[in-house]
Amino acid sequence: MAEGNGVIVVIPDSGIALNQEAFKKDDGTLKVIGLWDQTVPYDGENNPNKYGLGRIYDEDELLEAVFAGERPGYDSSGHGTAVAGIITEQAPEAELLIIKL
């Protein structure tokens, strides 16, 4: 497990810049398997979630958004991206769940 295989790391922070190579797997998919952006308005009609807060993206939605040039959960301060980068450096096979606060 030294490489992070089978590990999911939850990062509650300022978001993430998903377009960084550090967050992509060799096959082109993302290491980020989910993102809960609590900073955006809740849209219960189009994107409901049981918490009634923000927007939750699953792995497929995130990959689609990145390919479309969108930036869900964008990290304007860089802190969350830096933290996620350190984690992927130390455990390159770990998967990430991001909570943008």
Side-chain angles (χ1 to χ4, degrees):
M1 247 202 268
E3 296 294 314
N5 190 15
V7 174
I8 298 174
V9 179
V10 179
I11 304 172
D13 209 310
S14 59
I16 191 166
L18 286 171
N19 62 340
Q20 302 291 318
E21 288 300 315
F23 308 128
K24 295 179 183 171
K25 297 178 186 176
D26 292 338
D27 65 1
T29 59
L30 297 174
K31 294 179 182 182
V32 179
I33 60 171
L35 184 146
W36 183 10
D37 187 343
Q38 296 183 0
T39 67
V40 297
Y42 176 67
D43 180 2
E45 187 173 320
N46 296 310
N47 298 296
N49 65 61
K50 68 180 184 179
Y51 307 105
L53 178 67
R55 168 82 157 84
I56 297 175
Y57 297 84
D58 67 22
E59 192 171 2
D60 292 334
E61 291 171 315
L62 290 172
L63 191 57
E64 186 178 308
V66 169
F67 281 129
E70 298 170 10
R71 303 184 311 177
Y74 182 70
D75 180 11
S76 60
S77 76
H79 190 272
T81 301
V83 170
I86 292 167
I87 291 167
T88 58
E89 230 176 69
Q90 298 300 311
E93 294 187 27
E95 296 178 308
L96 308 174
L97 283 172
I98 306 298
I99 304 171
K100 181 176 180 180
L101 304 173

